[in-house]
Amino acid sequence: MATATILGWVASIAFLAMALVGGYFVLATRRISAQAERAVPASGRFMTLGAHRIHYVDQGEGRPILFIHGLGAQLHHFRHPLFPELADFRCVALDRPGSGYSARPVSFSGGLVEQADLVARFITELGLEKPLVVGHSLGGAVALALAENHPETVSGLVLLSPLTHLEDELRPEFRSLYIKSSLKRRLMAETLAVPTSLKYAPQTLAFLFSPQAAPQDYGTAGGGFAGLRPSHFYATSADMVAIERDLGAIQARYGELDLPVGVMFGTADRVLDFRLHGAPLAGRIKDLELDLVDGLGHMPQFVEAKRVAGLVRRIAARAFGTPADKLVG
């Protein structure tokens, strides 16, 4: 009897300790999230598409360019470094569902085709006339799915460090995001994920930008702090899990693409290897312009904004049928 009582007390104390630790991380998550929202508030417009509420920015006049960000990112990955370089275009960037300030309904899986379908609806609703689509990293895969499944909505593609092929195994850097259970993903998002992300932010930024350094104002102007929110982590993890659902079918259809395509890849990219995700496209997509940049990492729009803008202008000239000298800012 005494042993049972002791065990009961031990179990109660252990449960209380776990509850206290869990409560601490919940409060820490809410505090960090509130600070992140103050540092990077919603700064664009909102569009309702069914159960989705999409946050986007729409700036300038001229031929339209639509920007689709990558995994765990948000629209400031383009707004800050590239919009000033392309001021003579109408530049539109959206937060993908769950990222930034776009809401993500429970029924949305985050599959690449599903995201491309939503982007096609966004283009139609906003009245964009066959924009040139610029996609970075996972956003490049979404852009490719968009061009394959909704070719009537786009004029051309510019892909920056794009995800284009399935990899044989999940690399260690992405294992913490690969959470198949939506319940476990939600628990992580509300407790450990945000404080842990803040603690390891320097290592994460080094991985993303290496061998270059992240800009000093990346957290604010680049929108980095916006990722320190539970909804953002949940969406990033769901997107990571969903990649394998569609990417194989998307990569099988690259030969069908019949529109101007430009790709920029850094040879020192640690996130996606140009030998798998960049170079093979030259033999798959006709008339592809491939710009391999020696020593460049995964973030060309921050590190080589003028070079990226030059590629965008060259593909825009082909996509819009406009002489190149008319599209030089």
Side-chain angles (χ1 to χ4, degrees):
M1 186 70 172
T3 302
T5 301
I6 292 171
L7 290 175
W9 275 105
V10 169
S12 298
I13 292 171
F15 178 79
L16 179 60
M18 290 173 59
L20 289 172
V21 171
Y24 167 81
F25 280 110
V26 168
L27 291 175
T29 295
R30 291 179 179 177
R31 175 178 56 80
I32 296 168
S33 179
Q35 293 173 339
E37 289 179 357
R38 289 194 294 270
V40 185
S43 55
R45 307 172 188 174
F46 288 90
M47 176 189 294
T48 300
L49 292 173
H52 293 270
R53 188 166 183 255
I54 301 299
H55 179 238
Y56 69 99
V57 291
D58 186 347
Q59 183 175 314
E61 298 179 357
R63 301 305 294 266
I65 304 177
L66 176 65
F67 298 84
I68 305 175
H69 65 77
L71 184 73
Q74 29 61 45
L75 58 82
H76 292 289
H77 271 209
F78 297 112
R79 183 184 197 178
H80 176 51
L82 283 186
F83 278 26
E85 299 290 340
L86 299 165
D88 48 322
F89 289 91
R90 180 184 179 186
C91 293
V92 179
L94 76 161
D95 286 333
R96 291 188 298 98
S99 299
Y101 286 94
S102 288
R104 187 188 193 101
V106 175
S107 60
F108 190 78
S109 72
L112 297 170
V113 170
E114 195 176 14
Q115 296 209 38
D117 291 345
L118 185 68
V119 172
R121 290 173 60 195
F122 175 83
I123 290 171
T124 300
E125 186 69 21
L126 195 58
L128 296 179
E129 184 182 352
K130 297 196 71 172
L132 173 68
V133 176
V134 179
H136 174 242
S137 197
L138 181 138
V142 175
L144 286 161
L146 176 67
E148 289 178 356
N149 296 322
H150 303 276
E152 74 286 352
T153 64
V154 291
S155 292
L157 302 178
V158 174
L159 310 175
L160 308 175
S161 313
L163 170 72
T164 65
H165 289 75
L166 283 171
E167 300 193 6
D168 293 335
E169 60 183 3
L170 185 67
R171 287 189 285 139
E173 295 88 352
F174 297 110
R175 286 175 187 162
S176 63
L177 291 174
Y178 193 82
I179 305 172
K180 281 196 167 184
S181 166
S182 59
L183 176 59
K184 183 179 179 181
R185 189 184 303 139
R186 181 62 64 192
L187 288 173
M188 286 293 294
E190 297 292 345
T191 55
L192 291 171
V194 170
T196 302
S197 296
L198 180 60
K199 179 180 180 180
Y200 291 102
Q203 292 92 324
T204 301
L205 290 181
F207 173 63
L208 290 174
F209 280 88
S210 178
Q212 289 79 40
Q216 296 256 337
D217 61 354
Y218 175 75
T220 51
F225 289 140
L228 296 173
R229 297 158 58 239
S231 58
H232 197 100
F233 174 85
Y234 185 94
T236 301
S237 174
D239 289 350
M240 182 76 214
V241 172
I243 287 171
E244 61 192 11
R245 182 180 310 138
D246 298 327
L247 187 54
I250 292 169
Q251 72 185 54
R253 297 178 58 194
Y254 292 154
E256 300 175 16
L257 293 173
D258 186 20
L259 75 173
V261 180
V263 175
M264 182 178 293
F265 237 115
T267 62
D269 192 329
R270 292 176 57 192
V271 179
L272 296 172
D273 193 325
F274 79 96
R275 291 166 293 189
L276 174 63
H277 296 279
L281 295 177
R284 301 283 309 280
I285 301 174
K286 64 180 181 180
D287 299 326
L288 174 81
E289 179 176 344
L290 178 60
D291 186 5
L292 294 178
V293 186
D294 189 46
L296 180 67
H298 190 63
M299 295 291 197
Q301 68 270 44
F302 285 97
V303 179
E304 291 281 0
K306 291 187 181 300
R307 185 164 182 161
V308 169
L311 176 61
V312 170
R313 290 183 181 282
R314 291 194 300 276
I315 301 302
R318 294 167 52 193
F320 297 138
T322 306
D325 61 349
K326 301 294 185 182
L327 292 175
V328 176

